[in-house]
Amino acid sequence: MNHMKILATLVFSSLTSVAFANDISGTWKNIDDKTGSSKAILEIRQESNGTYTAQVVKVTPRPGYTPKEICVKCPAPYTNKPILGMDILKGLKHVEGPNYANGKIIDPLSGHIYSMKAKLSANGKRLTLRGYVGVSALGRSQTWIKND
């Protein structure tokens, strides 16, 4: 009987640690795949339906670049909305292990909306996002780094 209790405790604690290890909620710094500079600080939150949403909480100034404040080329409901405070990622869902899928992400600089998937690194500190139209092979990747 004691062996069953110990086994049950071990199984429950391992399942709990896996669930926490795959939670991507928190504050992240996105890194521009072209320049290597941070473009913004984003906060990822888990919605009541289990999907994840990311909001721009700070636009990071970069040398030689004046950040846009308004999403001018964006489709409705984003048209002429402030980039700061905008939900740029929606619907991302944990699918298996470190993998997430079925999200949509908007590039507020171009106004394009992309399908996306993501993968969390083993240490939980890097989230690699892949935005694409149609098939993933024709997309572009970006890394977000967890802020502690």
Side-chain angles (χ1 to χ4, degrees):
M1 187 69 155
N2 282 339
H3 293 316
M4 292 300 283
K5 287 181 183 178
I6 292 171
L7 180 61
T9 302
L10 288 173
V11 168
F12 178 74
S13 62
S14 68
L15 290 175
T16 304
S17 65
V18 168
F20 287 125
N22 288 325
D23 185 11
I24 58 172
S25 298
T27 307
W28 298 80
K29 180 186 337 180
N30 78 340
I31 304 299
D32 187 335
D33 59 329
K34 294 178 182 173
T35 66
S37 301
S38 173
K39 296 194 310 187
I41 305 295
L42 303 118
E43 183 175 1
I44 298 178
R45 66 184 182 275
Q46 189 171 25
E47 302 293 346
S48 60
N49 65 1
T51 64
Y52 291 91
T53 301
Q55 180 181 62
V56 178
V57 295
K58 181 180 180 184
V59 177
T60 308
R62 294 174 282 164
Y65 177 77
T66 303
K68 291 183 179 181
E69 293 183 15
I70 304 293
C71 198
V72 178
K73 298 179 183 178
C74 297
Y78 302 101
T79 310
N80 297 321
K81 300 289 183 186
I83 293 172
L84 186 63
M86 180 181 288
D87 286 342
I88 64 161
L89 180 155
K90 292 184 177 184
L92 190 63
K93 184 175 182 175
H94 181 246
V95 288
E96 182 181 332
N99 300 309
Y100 296 79
N102 304 320
K104 295 287 184 185
I105 191 164
I106 186 166
D107 178 353
L109 303 180
S110 70
H112 295 122
I113 297 176
Y114 301 96
S115 296
M116 63 146 315
K117 62 182 183 175
K119 185 173 184 177
L120 186 63
S121 66
N123 67 4
K125 300 291 184 186
R126 288 182 178 270
L127 187 64
T128 302
L129 294 87
R130 180 88 179 158
Y132 56 93
V133 176
V135 293
S136 169
L138 301 176
R140 198 170 121 190
S141 293
Q142 187 177 80
T143 300
W144 292 9
I145 299 172
K146 183 92 174 194
N147 277 353
D148 292 326

